[in-house]
Amino acid sequence: MNLGPYHLFSTGLLLILSYLVSLALVRLQFLSRSYHRKFWNTLLLFFFISTAALGLMLVVKVNYKLKMDWMESVMQWHVDLGIGFAFVAVFHLTWHLRYYTRLAPSSGSPSFGPWTPHLTFSSLQEKLFFLLLGYVSIMAQLILLREFVKTLHGNELFIGIFLSLWMVLAATGARTGANSRVKISLSKLLGVLLFMGTVPLVIYLALILITRFLFLPGYEPEMLPSITTMVLLTGPVALSSGFLFAYVSKSVIQGKGDGSYYRLDSLGSLLAGFLFGLVLVFFLDNAQSLSLLFLMTGLALVLVFRYPAGSFRKSFLLLAATACYILLLLPGIRTGVEGWRYRGEKLLETRDTPYGNLAFSENEGQVTAYLDRNPVLSSADLAANEERIHYAALQHPGPTSFLLLGNGLSGSASEISKYAPDRIDYCEADPWIFRMGSKYLSDSLSENLRFIPMDGRKWLMLNDTVKYDIVISVSGDPLTIGWNRFYTREFFALIHSHLAPGGIFSMQLSTSGSYINKEGSELLSINYHTLSQVFRHVAVVPGYATCFLASDSPLSLDIPALLEQHPVETKYVHPDYLELNRLTFDSDQLMERILLESPETNSDLRPRLFFSRLKGVESISGSHTMLVSGILGTLLFLALLIVYRPLHKGMFVSGFTGAGFQILLIMVMQSLFGFAYLVTPVMITLFMAGIVLGTWLWKPVWGAPGFSKLSGLIAFMALLAVAMVLLLRGGLLSSNRLAGMIILGLLNVLPGLIVGSVYSMSVALSGKEKGVSMGYMFHADLAGAALGSFVPVVFLLPLIGVINTFILFCGINMATGLYILLSNVKSKDDG
C-alpha cells in the first residue's frame, strides 16, 4: 500500500491547541463549561464512530479479499482518526479522574438564570460597533486569504476551503456567544475587537516564519497540514467575529429584535470589500493593508468608544499603529521581511499585484519569477525554450507571425526572432510580470516583440480578425482553474479560429518521459482528446516537458529533417541530440498509454484536467483527502439538515446555497475571464451587497412575515439556480466578455439578497427572546455557508460538474421550501 505518513504531530497539535483555547474561553467566562464539554464529547463520539466504521471496513476487505483500490487508503484514515480519538479521549479522561479517585459524586455545574441585556451604547456607538465588526472581519479575511494562497500554493479549491473553515470557526463563535450566560464587560468586548484588528498582522509574520522554517523549498503542502495551519492561525479572529456578533446583539439594553444588526455587520463587510477589492488591491501590498486595518481599528476605538482607558494607553495604541503603517510603506523593509521566504535566493523585488503575489529572485546569476510562489519564468532556460518554440515553428514552411502566450522574458522571444518574423505578439495575463521582469531580463527581448498587457484569451476574444502562423502557449500546469482555462475545448477552439491556413498551435504539460504513471497518463489523455476535438492532427513529443502540437495540416516528428529546411541556430533541438527513431518510439509509447485511458475532455465548466492534476499531487503521498473530506462534509450537511428546526433549516439551506452560488460563480468567472485573485474580493463584496439589500428590502416587498412567504423566498433561490443552468447551457456568458462579467456579478447579488431576506424574516418569525434568536440564526447561516463553500468545490464539482451542481441546488431548495410550508400547516392542524 502506498500510504503517506500518519499525522500524529499535526493532528495532536491542532487538538491540543483547540482544547486549550476552549478551556481559556471557559476560564474567561466567554463559554459555559457545559457547552465546552458537550462540544468535546460530540467530537469524541465522531472520532469513535468513524474509527470503528473504518476498522470494520478493513476487516471486511481482508476477510473477504475484496479488490477495491480506494480501500488501500482506509488504513491511513483509520489511523489518523484513531489519533484524534486518542487525544480527545485523554481530554475526556481528565474531566472524570475524580470519579475513579473518590467515592462521593461530584456536584453538577451551576446553571445560569434567564438572560438580561447589560451593555449600554449610544446610538452612534451601537451602529459603529456592528459596522466595525463586519469591516474588520471581512478585511482580515480577504487579505489573509491572499497570504494563505501565496504561502500554501493555493488554488480556487483552496479559496473555498479557506472560506469554509473561516465560517465554521465563526459559526462556532456565534453559537458560543448565543449560548453564553456570563456578563462580559464592554471594555473586554472592545479589547477583543482590537485583537481582531491587530492579530492579522501577526499572522502575516507567522506565515513567513512557517515558510522559512517548516516548509521545504518548493514543498506543496497536502490538504491536512494546510487546514491545520489555517485553523490554528485564523481561528482566534474568526471565532471572535462570530462570538462578538451573537453576544453583543443579545446584550444591548434597548437592543433591536430584527435584522438591523445583521444588516450593519453586512454593510461593514460590504465597505471592506469595496475598499479592498477596488482600491487597496491596486495600491497597497497585503502587509500594508493589514497595517492600515490595525490603524483604522485603533482610531475608531479611541475616537468613538474612548477605548482603552487612560490617555497614555490611547496614545500608545495610535503611535504603535501609525509606526507599523509607516514602516511597511518603506520598500526596503517590506522586501527584507518577504525575503525570509526565499532560502538560498536573493529577493530582488516583490509586489502584491491585483493578480497575485509576484516576486523576482536571483541565485548565482539566474533570475526566477514566482507568482504566488509558483515559478512562472526563469532565465538561462535554453533547452526548454528551444523545445517549446522550434518543435512548432519548424513545422511551418515560412512563419511570419507568432503569438506567444506567457514566458516571453525567459528567452522564448529570442528563439522566435531566429525566424525573422514580421510580427511577434506577446501576451501576459499578469502585466506586472513584464513590467517588473524587464528590469532584470531585458536582454532576452526581441526588437520586433510587441507586448500586449492582457490575458491572451482576452486578446483573442477582442480581436476577431487577427491571424497567426504559430501560436505558442506557455501557461503553467493546470494547478489552478485560472491556468486550466488555457487547456479547455473552448480555448482551443478560440486558438483554432485565429490560426492562418497551415498554422500550428503548441503547448506543454510538465508530465514527461516515455513511461509515466496512471495519473500522468490520465492528465495527458484528457489534454490529447480535448485537442483532438478541435484540430485534425495532434502530435505528442516527449522532452523536458510533453509537447503537444496541433494543426489542421499534417505534422512531422522528423525534427532533424525539418532543421535542414530551416537553417536556424540551435544547441539542444539539434541532430546531435535528436534522432527520428528515438523520437518516434518515445511518442508511440506515450500515445499507447494515452489511448488506454477513457476519452474524456476538458472544458470551462467541467475542469477535468485541473482535478486530474490534483489527483496526481495527492497520489504522491498516497492520500485521498479531497474524497474523504468531501464525503464527510456531505454527511455533515445531511445530519444538520435533519437536526435543525424548520426556521433554522431554512436559514441553513439558504446559507449553504448562497455560499455555494458565490464560490461556483467565482470559479465560472475564473474559467471564462481569469484570475480569482482579483475576482474573489469583488464577488464577495457583491454578495455582501445583496445581503444588505435583503435585510433592508424584505419588509417593504413581502410585508408581514409568514411561513408561506419564507418558503417562497427559498423557492426563489431554486429558480435562480434554474436561471444559472439556462445561462450556462446557452453559452450567453462567454459570447460577450463585458456582458458576461456584468451578468455574473449581478447573479452574485441575488443569492445574497435572498439570504439577507431569509435571515430577517426568520428572526421576525422566531417568537420570544429575539436577541438570542439572532445569534442562533447567525450560527445556522454561517454553518450552511461553511459547508456551501466546501462541499460543492471539493466533492460536487469534480463529481458532477458546474451545471449539475446548480441543478442539485435547485432540488435542495425546492424540497426545503416545501418542507417548511408543510411543517407550518401541520403545526397549525396540531394546534
Side-chain angles (χ1 to χ4, degrees):
M1 289 188 293
N2 183 24
L3 295 178
Y6 298 122
H7 300 95
L8 174 64
F9 177 77
S10 57
T11 302
L13 182 61
L14 173 62
L15 289 172
I16 290 171
L17 291 178
S18 300
Y19 183 78
L20 292 175
V21 169
S22 66
L23 191 62
L25 291 173
V26 172
R27 296 293 172 84
L28 293 171
Q29 298 184 332
F30 280 84
L31 183 67
S32 68
R33 186 176 296 275
S34 61
Y35 185 76
H36 164 73
R37 292 193 171 186
K38 183 177 181 180
F39 170 79
W40 286 102
N41 283 334
T42 303
L43 198 60
L44 180 71
L45 179 64
F46 166 77
F47 280 127
F48 170 73
I49 293 175
S50 302
T51 306
L54 292 177
L56 289 173
M57 291 171 65
L58 286 169
V59 169
V60 171
K61 177 186 181 297
V62 172
N63 285 355
Y64 296 98
K65 297 179 174 57
L66 300 178
K67 298 293 289 183
M68 292 182 287
D69 293 339
W70 66 272
M71 285 285 288
E72 299 298 321
S73 297
V74 168
M75 177 62 77
Q76 172 101 34
W77 313 335
H78 176 67
V79 174
D80 283 336
L81 288 167
I83 293 169
F85 178 59
F87 275 96
V88 180
V90 170
F91 305 153
H92 189 271
L93 180 63
T94 60
W95 306 337
H96 301 287
L97 278 176
R98 302 178 88 183
Y99 174 83
Y100 301 100
T101 57
R102 70 177 188 177
L103 296 177
S106 60
S107 59
S109 58
S111 60
F112 296 96
W115 180 252
T116 54
H118 64 286
L119 298 179
T120 302
F121 283 115
S122 68
S123 177
L124 175 62
Q125 288 177 334
E126 181 184 30
K127 291 173 180 164
L128 187 64
F129 181 89
F130 288 100
L131 276 170
L132 187 60
L133 177 61
Y135 176 88
V136 171
S137 178
I138 292 298
M139 184 66 79
Q141 181 190 95
L142 292 175
I143 302 172
L144 290 177
L145 171 60
R146 290 161 61 101
E147 282 300 310
F148 276 99
V149 166
K150 174 171 63 177
T151 301
L152 303 176
H153 300 276
N155 51 43
E156 292 80 3
L157 292 189
F158 187 94
I159 293 173
I161 293 169
F162 179 90
L163 295 176
S164 176
L165 289 173
W166 185 284
M167 285 180 280
V168 165
L169 294 164
T172 304
R175 185 79 178 185
T176 303
N179 283 335
S180 177
R181 298 285 167 169
V182 178
K183 300 294 177 68
I184 304 173
S185 68
L186 178 59
S187 177
K188 286 184 178 179
L189 295 170
L190 294 175
V192 174
L193 189 55
L194 176 61
F195 169 82
M196 288 178 58
T198 307
V199 79
L201 197 54
V202 179
I203 295 173
Y204 163 76
L205 297 174
L207 286 173
I208 292 177
L209 296 177
I210 287 172
T211 306
R212 176 77 177 189
F213 296 110
L214 295 186
F215 293 158
L216 296 174
Y219 172 67
E220 190 172 328
E222 298 176 46
M223 186 180 290
L224 185 59
S226 297
I227 288 176
T228 303
T229 303
M230 285 187 282
V231 170
L232 291 177
L233 293 181
T234 65
V237 181
L239 284 167
S240 298
S241 68
F243 178 87
L244 285 179
F245 179 87
Y247 185 86
V248 175
S249 63
K250 72 173 186 178
S251 302
V252 180
I253 298 174
Q254 301 298 325
K256 297 176 176 61
D258 55 14
S260 300
Y261 294 148
Y262 187 69
R263 178 166 61 248
L264 288 168
D265 181 85
S266 301
L267 183 59
S269 302
L270 177 63
L271 293 173
F274 270 122
L275 179 61
F276 181 72
L278 301 179
V279 180
L280 298 184
V281 74
F282 294 99
F283 298 103
L284 296 181
D285 282 356
N286 293 340
Q288 296 168 337
S289 296
L290 288 173
S291 64
L292 181 62
L293 174 63
F294 178 23
L295 179 58
M296 293 180 70
T297 305
L299 281 171
L301 291 175
V302 169
L303 297 177
V304 179
F305 296 95
R306 302 292 187 265
Y307 177 87
S311 57
F312 174 77
R313 292 181 179 179
K314 291 184 179 68
S315 300
F316 178 79
L317 171 60
L318 294 181
L319 284 173
T322 305
C324 283
Y325 180 64
I326 293 174
L327 283 174
L328 288 172
L329 287 178
L330 302 176
I333 297 289
R334 198 167 64 254
T335 303
V337 172
E338 282 286 336
W340 275 74
R341 297 183 191 267
Y342 300 89
R343 284 182 284 188
E345 299 178 72
K346 177 185 177 182
L347 184 62
L348 301 173
E349 188 176 359
T350 181
R351 181 185 179 93
D352 288 306
T353 76
Y355 307 94
N357 176 262
L358 187 60
F360 282 82
S361 69
E362 184 267 336
N363 182 24
E364 297 182 356
Q366 180 171 331
V367 176
T368 304
Y370 297 91
L371 183 62
D372 291 335
R373 297 187 62 242
N374 292 305
V376 290
L377 66 86
S378 178
S379 63
D381 198 7
L382 181 60
N385 283 327
E386 286 193 357
E387 285 189 354
R388 69 171 59 108
I389 301 303
H390 297 302
Y391 282 169
L394 289 171
Q395 305 285 333
H396 198 283
T400 60
S401 56
F402 285 76
L403 174 62
L404 182 61
L405 304 177
N407 217 264
L409 293 175
S410 67
S412 296
S414 299
E415 296 301 317
I416 292 174
S417 65
K418 293 177 181 179
Y419 295 88
D422 299 329
R423 180 178 185 179
I424 307 175
D425 287 346
Y426 161 42
C427 292
E428 195 66 74
D430 183 355
W432 286 100
I433 292 177
F434 181 82
R435 293 167 187 165
M436 292 170 61
S438 56
K439 303 176 188 176
Y440 314 107
L441 299 165
S442 57
D443 56 340
S444 64
L445 298 178
S446 172
E447 292 183 0
N448 57 347
L449 178 73
R450 183 175 68 142
F451 173 61
I452 302 170
M454 70 174 65
D455 179 339
R457 187 164 170 170
K458 176 182 177 181
W459 163 253
L460 294 175
M461 289 177 66
L462 295 177
N463 295 270
D464 295 334
T465 59
V466 64
K467 301 286 184 180
Y468 296 96
D469 292 324
I470 308 290
V471 177
I472 299 172
S473 176
V474 199
S475 301
D477 270 6
L479 283 169
T480 70
I481 290 180
W483 287 348
N484 181 83
R485 62 195 293 269
F486 293 102
Y487 296 85
T488 64
R489 182 176 61 247
E490 293 86 351
F491 175 66
F492 295 156
L494 185 65
I495 292 289
H496 184 271
S497 67
H498 286 81
L499 283 176
I504 296 98
F505 172 56
S506 170
M507 58 172 298
Q508 292 181 326
L509 283 169
S510 63
T511 302
S512 61
S514 56
Y515 179 79
I516 52 177
N517 61 12
K518 177 173 177 54
E519 289 76 18
S521 298
E522 181 181 303
L523 192 77
L524 298 179
S525 173
I526 293 172
N527 195 63
Y528 174 81
H529 286 104
T530 306
L531 280 167
S532 297
Q533 285 197 348
V534 178
F535 295 92
R536 295 177 186 173
H537 303 278
V538 178
V540 182
V541 189
Y544 284 93
T546 299
C547 180
F548 289 84
L549 303 176
S551 177
D552 285 342
S553 299
L555 299 166
S556 172
L557 292 180
D558 193 353
I559 305 300
L562 294 175
L563 279 166
E564 292 180 3
Q565 301 172 21
H566 294 78
V568 293
E569 183 180 349
T570 56
K571 291 185 179 180
Y572 294 95
V573 178
H574 193 274
D576 291 345
Y577 295 95
L578 298 175
E579 196 266 327
L580 176 59
N581 291 334
R582 183 64 187 178
L583 277 173
T584 305
F585 177 80
D586 288 345
S587 180
D588 289 344
Q589 288 285 98
L590 205 53
M591 283 301 302
E592 184 177 342
R593 295 295 306 273
I594 287 173
L595 295 176
L596 285 174
E597 300 291 333
S598 58
E600 296 181 331
T601 58
N602 189 43
S603 66
D604 287 338
L605 300 180
R606 196 71 187 270
R608 287 190 173 95
L609 204 65
F610 168 64
F611 287 108
S612 176
R613 182 65 176 80
L614 291 185
K615 282 169 59 180
V617 172
E618 284 199 333
S619 71
I620 296 173
S621 61
S623 66
H624 295 274
T625 315
M626 281 180 57
L627 175 63
V628 176
S629 57
I631 292 173
L632 292 177
T634 303
L635 293 175
L636 180 59
F637 169 78
L638 294 173
L640 291 176
L641 191 62
I642 293 170
V643 168
Y644 275 127
R645 297 174 182 176
L647 275 180
H648 297 92
K649 197 188 301 289
M651 189 71 255
F652 174 71
V653 169
S654 295
F656 174 84
T657 313
F661 254 94
Q662 178 180 236
I663 199 70
L664 286 180
L665 288 177
I666 288 173
M667 291 194 170
V668 171
M669 181 83 84
Q670 171 78 328
S671 293
L672 298 180
F673 311 117
F675 280 101
Y677 203 78
L678 177 62
V679 166
T680 299
V682 176
M683 296 295 276
I684 291 176
T685 300
L686 291 171
F687 183 78
M688 298 310 300
I691 289 179
V692 173
L693 288 173
T695 58
W696 180 43
L697 294 176
W698 76 271
K699 202 161 190 176
V701 174
W702 292 90
F707 281 89
S708 60
K709 295 176 181 179
L710 182 62
S711 299
L713 272 172
I714 297 173
F716 272 124
M717 188 76 87
L719 294 176
L720 193 58
V722 172
M724 195 66 213
V725 170
L726 296 176
L727 281 171
L728 292 174
R729 282 189 169 166
L732 299 176
L733 296 174
S734 56
S735 59
N736 185 293
R737 180 182 176 87
L738 179 60
M741 295 177 71
I742 293 173
I743 291 172
L744 284 173
L746 291 176
L747 284 171
N748 208 30
V749 173
L750 296 176
L753 192 148
I754 295 172
V755 170
S757 299
V758 168
Y759 176 89
S760 299
M761 190 178 290
S762 298
V763 170
L765 290 168
S766 60
K768 297 181 180 180
E769 208 173 15
K770 285 189 172 60
V772 176
S773 177
M774 284 189 288
Y776 286 124
M777 210 63 68
F778 190 60
H779 166 267
D781 176 30
L782 289 175
L787 290 171
S789 299
F790 182 77
V791 173
V793 295
V794 172
F795 188 60
L796 298 178
L797 186 57
L799 191 67
I800 61 177
V802 172
I803 291 178
N804 289 329
T805 301
F806 279 117
I807 293 174
L808 184 61
F809 283 171
C810 174
I812 291 171
N813 280 269
M814 290 298 293
T816 304
L818 185 61
Y819 173 82
I820 292 173
L821 185 62
L822 294 177
S823 297
N824 182 53
V825 172
K826 184 177 183 300
S827 64
K828 287 182 179 179
D829 293 341
D830 293 341

